[in-house]
Amino acid sequence: DVGLACCCRPITVALASLMLAAAVSTPLSFAGAAAAPLARASAPAMSALPELSKKLNPVLGYWDPLNLAELNFWGAGDDATVGFLRHAEIKHGRVAMAAFVGYCVQSNVHFPWAPFNSIPTNIAPAEQWAQLPEAAKWQIILFVGFLEVYSEHSFILEKYGQKHYMKGGKPGFFPDFDTMVHPVPLNLWDPLKAYKGASAERKADGLLKEVNNGRLAMIGIMGFCAEARVPGAVPALSNIAHYAGDPMAPFAANFHLPGFAS
């Protein structure tokens, strides 16, 4: 769902991920508040980047012109910085893939259930999101917030023998829901159990494909947004519905924060 993609991270963060995915072949994403680079020995996670980048893109290989991997985010060290960047790109790629598929579905399928049945079918998905009632948007935002807390909390991760991705854990890991008070038989990472019992090599190869597909999806969803807002920006997409609003301001319509003016 495009609305889900709009809620998962601030738009500036998503744009940064897109630009880095298109320009940098390393498994990196956006740079948040960072300390100045320090002269220090290369950490294990950083030294593994060239090999990983070559697997992701054999032609370009390792290229980090912004030196993101060396910025030592929040003074947490190189391993934590690389873990943060890798996890951020994987997460943004997953959101972009969901957004791309959602955009295609919302452009061609009309759901008969409320509140969707009250939204016209001949408008862009971004306009469909803008017309959703505020209560519907809050449900999506709160659900995404729950997913964020659940996947980041050390208490949950430790139940699966994992650590936080900035503390030596696996970038991209998302826990199952079977440890909840009311277990949910759903695995967001592998809902069809295609990788259940798979070897470590197969899982590693699958992650490489996921990262590359996520990079392409980030470019794809931004292409949809660009053409919808500026007709002719992407000639190959000239047949999609146009959007008069601002796709970079997903909460401009039918939404307000308590205590703030609308």
Side-chain angles (χ1 to χ4, degrees), residues 16 19-21 23-31 37 40 45-47 49-50 53 60-73 78 81-82 85-86 89 215:
M19 291 186 289
L20 287 168
V24 183
S25 70
T26 56
L28 304 179
S29 183
F30 64 91
R40 57 191 179 279
M46 184 181 294
S47 61
L49 287 179
S53 300
L60 190 58
Y62 180 73
W63 185 47
D64 183 14
L66 300 181
N67 293 322
L68 296 179
E70 301 177 8
L71 292 184
N72 189 23
F73 289 0
D78 289 339
T81 299
V82 172
L85 291 170
R86 288 196 61 201
E89 183 181 31
R215 290 174 175 178

Side-chain angles (χ1 to χ4, degrees), residues 73-94:
F73 289 0
W74 306 289
D78 289 339
D79 281 349
T81 299
V82 172
F84 173 83
L85 291 170
R86 288 196 61 201
H87 187 85
E89 183 181 31
I90 293 170
K91 180 181 291 186
H92 283 94
R94 289 170 177 171

Side-chain angles (χ1 to χ4, degrees), residues 14 23 27 36-37 42 64 75 77 88 97 99 107 112 120 131 134 158 161 185 193 199 202 226 240-241 254:
S42 178
D64 183 14
M97 287 187 280
S107 297
Q131 293 191 19
E134 182 179 14
E158 288 172 0
K193 306 296 182 182
S199 64
R202 186 183 175 211
I240 68 173
N254 294 336

